[in-house]
Amino acid sequence: MKYMDEFRDPTTAKKLVEEIKRLAPIARGQRDMPLQIMEFCGGHTHTLFKYGIESMLPAEIEMVHGPGCPVCVLPMARVDDCVAIAEQPGVIFTTFGDAMRVPGTRKSLLQAKAEGCDVRMVYSPMDALALARKQPEREVVFFALGFETTMPSTALTLLQAYREGLQNFSLFCNHITTPATMRAILTDPDLRLDGFLAPGHVSMVIGAHPYDFVTRDYHKPLVITGFEPLDILQALWMLVKQFAEGRCEVENQYARIVPEAGNVAGLKAIAEVYETREHSEFRGLGNIGDAGIQIREAYAAYDAEKKFKLQATASTHDPEHLKCADVLRGVMKPWECPAFAKTCNPQNPLGALMVSPEGSCAAYYAYGKLAKRS
């Protein structure tokens, strides 16, 4: 395939749906419940709804929506830290746009900007580095947020700042590792998952082998997939085929992009700059060991946590009436939250799942899935 419309071809989609429907009863076997398949990434969730894929699936398959994106699992305490840095005199705080409106306990970065803080949306950490070059009298901080997809770019930006000897640039590191987050989901007693659709963009960096533990230790098949409708449908067909044939493997549907060994240069930069934190708190998932990332001591001069001497923040939780944690973990659908589409909506987001364009609440709202359909 060469063109985008080939990945959205309705004739091919129909054939895949028919094959999934043929295999699904065999795959489910004698169990009463449908197969529970989690799409880990919010990009997959949006594709499912935008193209009506979920409504095409047979009753034997139920999609369970996973964490979505790093913004969705960002705890309010870390937003509070962002605001605290932005409020420092002389600081230019830079971030990707989807983090601007995530609420903290006091305010969001967008509210801090409205109150006079110099908070700027950028498209790349290199944009932040360019600001640091142009304004050497200001401290420029970039909010390094994301799964492994964005880790190489922030690591390489830090290395460039180090080579140039820039002293007024730093990263506020909130990167997250996908495999450790998956492990936390798999050990959640409230979830009964049967298989995974794994994110293609993350896998482009880390490759296929970091997922081996999912099949080896938890006996759940997993398929790495892209983000077009035919990508998702082919990946679901591959998963259902594994169930029907009694197999449990890591398969790579997105082989046109994802090499088995990942991006060697990107992984090298990540290993040089970052190391795992012993424990990190995530919204809805609690404290997870080895999931969070921090900057190595060799580059401590570029670590905003150390430069601004941030104190360890106590755990914070969403207001009780918000069910962000349960939706994020896949144990509740967005429309089951009493605030969904009422007090919490894209114009007035109360939780990160409605703020982020990859959040499941944002997807349900955008594509009209506001209540359970019979």
Side-chain angles (χ1 to χ4, degrees):
M1 293 185 181
K2 296 181 181 179
Y3 304 105
M4 192 69 75
D5 57 356
E6 295 178 284
F7 292 95
R8 301 173 183 177
D9 176 57
T11 303
T12 307
K14 185 177 179 180
K15 290 178 181 177
L16 283 166
V17 170
E18 288 173 353
E19 188 64 14
I20 290 169
K21 287 180 176 179
R22 184 185 70 82
L23 288 171
I26 304 170
R28 189 179 71 168
Q30 300 301 312
R31 57 186 285 171
D32 296 328
M33 291 179 58
L35 294 167
Q36 306 280 304
I37 297 174
M38 174 176 279
E39 83 280 5
F40 185 88
C41 177
H44 291 155
T45 305
H46 279 257
T47 299
L48 285 168
F49 289 120
K50 181 177 181 179
Y51 296 98
I53 293 172
E54 191 181 51
S55 63
M56 301 177 194
L57 298 177
E60 290 87 358
I61 296 174
E62 180 179 351
M63 300 306 299
V64 179
H65 316 307
C69 71
V71 169
C72 298
V73 298
L74 185 65
M76 287 192 288
R78 296 300 274 180
V79 179
D80 291 343
D81 289 337
C82 291
V83 171
I85 294 171
E87 289 175 336
Q88 296 294 316
V91 166
I92 301 174
F93 193 92
T94 61
T95 178
F96 294 134
D98 56 356
M100 292 279 281
R101 298 171 68 205
V102 179
T105 59
R106 296 192 296 127
K107 64 187 78 169
S108 67
L109 282 167
L110 190 63
Q111 290 168 318
K113 179 179 177 67
E115 293 174 6
C117 295
D118 195 347
V119 179
R120 306 188 192 185
M121 185 183 76
V122 295
Y123 292 98
S124 161
M126 292 300 287
D127 292 342
L129 188 63
L131 273 174
R133 293 191 192 104
K134 290 177 183 178
Q135 302 193 51
E137 75 284 0
R138 304 283 301 275
E139 283 287 340
V140 178
V141 180
F142 179 73
F143 189 19
L145 181 66
F147 287 109
E148 291 90 345
T149 314
T150 55
M151 284 187 205
S153 63
T154 58
L156 290 165
T157 302
L158 185 151
L159 290 171
Q160 183 64 32
Y162 178 79
R163 283 192 291 268
E164 294 181 23
L166 288 175
Q167 299 299 309
N168 65 322
F169 176 81
S170 59
L171 300 179
F172 182 48
C173 185
N174 283 267
H175 285 304
I176 309 165
T177 61
T178 300
T181 308
M182 277 191 172
R183 190 182 291 276
I185 291 168
L186 284 162
T187 56
D188 188 329
D190 294 327
L191 280 173
R192 296 289 185 272
L193 296 176
D194 295 296
F196 281 95
L197 296 184
H201 46 13
V202 166
S203 307
M204 176 182 65
V205 176
I206 67 174
H209 296 301
Y211 301 115
D212 287 345
F213 77 95
V214 177
T215 56
R216 182 188 65 243
D217 300 340
Y218 296 94
H219 311 293
K220 312 292 184 187
L222 179 148
V223 176
I224 298 164
T225 185
F227 299 89
E228 290 299 321
L230 293 189
D231 287 327
I232 301 290
L233 284 171
Q234 185 182 19
L236 285 170
W237 169 72
M238 291 167 72
L239 264 183
V240 172
K241 194 166 184 286
Q242 284 202 50
F243 291 130
E245 295 176 355
R247 294 184 292 114
C248 182
E249 301 171 10
V250 174
E251 292 187 306
N252 184 8
Q253 180 275 336
Y254 208 31
R256 67 182 186 273
I257 299 294
V258 176
E260 287 293 308
N263 185 315
V264 176
L267 291 171
K268 181 180 178 182
I270 291 170
E272 181 173 350
V273 172
Y274 297 124
E275 63 186 5
T276 56
R277 298 179 190 262
E278 187 175 353
H279 291 285
S280 298
E281 182 191 359
F282 299 103
R283 187 186 299 246
L285 299 173
N287 283 297
I288 306 176
D290 296 330
I293 295 295
Q294 63 187 6
I295 296 170
R296 290 185 182 276
E297 187 61 34
Y299 300 104
Y302 299 92
D303 187 342
E305 286 191 67
K306 294 179 179 177
K307 181 176 281 191
F308 293 94
K309 298 180 172 60
L310 293 177
Q311 301 298 313
T313 311
S315 295
T316 54
H317 302 282
D318 291 304
E320 191 171 338
H321 71 286
L322 296 179
K323 304 302 179 184
C324 301
D326 290 334
V327 174
L328 188 148
R329 289 161 50 231
V331 300
M332 179 182 286
K333 301 296 186 186
W335 45 259
E336 294 179 278
C337 174
F340 175 71
K342 300 179 182 70
T343 55
C344 184
N345 55 62
Q347 291 71 43
N348 180 46
L350 301 180
L353 292 169
M354 188 64 85
V355 173
S356 170
E358 292 194 359
S360 56
C361 291
Y364 272 58
Y365 192 96
Y367 301 111
K369 197 171 177 64
L370 306 182
K372 185 176 182 180
R373 293 175 184 171
S374 56

